[in-house]
Amino acid sequence: MWIRYVYNVKENLSKKIHSKKIIIISGSNSLFGINSELIAKKLNIPVSNLSVHASLDIDYLFYIIKNNFNNGDIVVMPLEYPFYTRKGLTDWFTNNITAWDEKYFFSLSIYEKIIFIINVQPKRILLGIRDKILGKTLQFHDNNFAYENLVKIIENEGEKWRGYNFQSLNLHGDINVDQPLQFFKKNNFNLNHNPLVSEHFIKKYNKIKEFVESKNGKIFLVHPVTASNESYNLYRNKDQLMIKSFVEKIANLNIKIECNPGLFHMEDTFFFDTTSHPNKFGAIIRSENLATCINDLLNDKDKRISIEKALETTTILQNKYYLEVKKPSVNISKIRFHDLEKIKIALQYHYEDNGFYPVSKGFDG
């Protein structure tokens, strides 16, 4: 249900932009990992961040694009890698749409409606009928409820993380969390070494591309943001070869992924609660690099760089913001900084397992 209200805010913001704009749309790697104000200032073009959740179908993203497109808009899609391999509608997607977005369903063609219904679990339909009879269906507020409430909340309390809720958005449509890293134990990287690009993706993406270009717009697929960890690390040759192979496979289908993935690959210090959700400073770093790449694309500057060069560019920005993330009292070295980070993690795990921090023995400090 929170997704519906987040889109309520985002589409209200988008509708206020009457000129050509940049639409950024994907899953939550861009809900959290975009600083729209920064990109807009660098490119002198307003930005509409319409990204919410990676489990929404690519056809739903098309629906959102159509509803918010101005002639000549630029669509940037930092799609999470599962979008490319997903073979069709998922249970998660059909369950959500039947719960909170009947308008999307009724926008479909007769054939598409049939495909959608076929993909809804029979149990889900029976439960829906039961709840309808018992009057237990979800009740939603009107179209401006979330947006108007968010404006009041920010005016009174300011921007801050309030959980997975429209109240965590800023008035640019981003969630930029100024919180310490909440260490994640699960790696969210979902690209294997031999990914098969689905017909579902190819068909729906080409449909989006055709629509955008018919309205004098431009569309760019770019890489999502990723965290460097033991499962995926672009400093390793095998992972570089894996992503290079994937890009080439996409290119053979006449679909191009722009911008080097190293521009959006950061250390976990710059993430929040998953490997897909940058924190405030991660969003700044990612947006700096994304803005530069979009500018090159718009000006037809073919600046193809190696992964090593892209990682170096990102590292320079990370070094710039290391001290901002933790604000230490002295300028310690990067190595010592990471040593202290590891100690912090170990202490936090001890607290979570035992309910208290280790007690000092023999040292009063």
Side-chain angles (χ1 to χ4, degrees), residues 81-87 189-198 202 241-250 253 257:
Y81 295 121
F83 273 104
Y84 295 92
T85 57
R86 194 174 293 144
K87 295 180 179 179
F189 186 73
N190 293 309
L191 186 66
N192 61 42
H193 285 265
N194 187 30
L196 296 176
V197 182
S198 70
I202 297 168
L241 291 174
M242 178 182 69
I243 202 69
K244 181 181 178 182
S245 173
F246 174 68
V247 171
E248 290 174 351
K249 185 174 289 189
I250 288 285
L253 298 168
I257 304 180

Side-chain angles (χ1 to χ4, degrees), residues 32 176-177 179 269-272 277-284 325:
F32 286 84
N176 293 153
V177 184
Q179 290 269 335
T269 301
F270 296 98
F271 286 76
F272 171 48
H277 297 168
N279 60 25
K280 172 184 175 181
F281 296 102
I284 290 172
V325 174

Side-chain angles (χ1 to χ4, degrees), residues 4 10 17 44 66 73 76 89 91 94 117 136 139 150 178 192 196 201 209 216 225 235 249 270 304 324 332-333 342:
R4 171 166 170 160
K10 286 174 172 284
I17 304 173
N44 199 28
K66 284 189 295 184
D73 279 354
V76 178
L89 305 182
D91 290 342
T94 55
I117 292 168
K136 292 183 178 180
Q139 299 298 313
L150 179 64
D178 193 5
N192 61 42
L196 296 176
F201 170 78
K209 187 172 185 287
N216 302 310
V225 71
Y235 287 92
K249 185 174 289 189
F270 296 98
R304 296 182 189 178
E324 289 294 322
I332 59 178
S333 74
K342 291 173 184 176

Side-chain angles (χ1 to χ4, degrees), residues 104-121:
Y104 166 73
F105 175 77
F106 288 113
S107 75
L108 300 174
S109 68
I110 294 174
Y111 174 75
E112 290 169 331
K113 285 187 178 80
I114 293 170
I115 296 298
F116 185 95
I117 292 168
I118 289 171
N119 280 276
V120 178
Q121 294 176 318

Side-chain angles (χ1 to χ4, degrees), residues 42 270 281 284-285 288 314-325:
K42 280 189 165 292
F270 296 98
F281 296 102
I284 290 172
I285 293 167
E288 289 249 16
T314 304
T315 298
I316 291 169
L317 285 172
Q318 287 183 132
N319 290 339
K320 176 181 176 181
Y321 289 105
Y322 268 126
L323 300 182
E324 289 294 322
V325 174

Side-chain angles (χ1 to χ4, degrees), residues 133 149 166 228 290:
I133 293 170
N149 271 265
F166 73 88
S228 175
L290 182 59

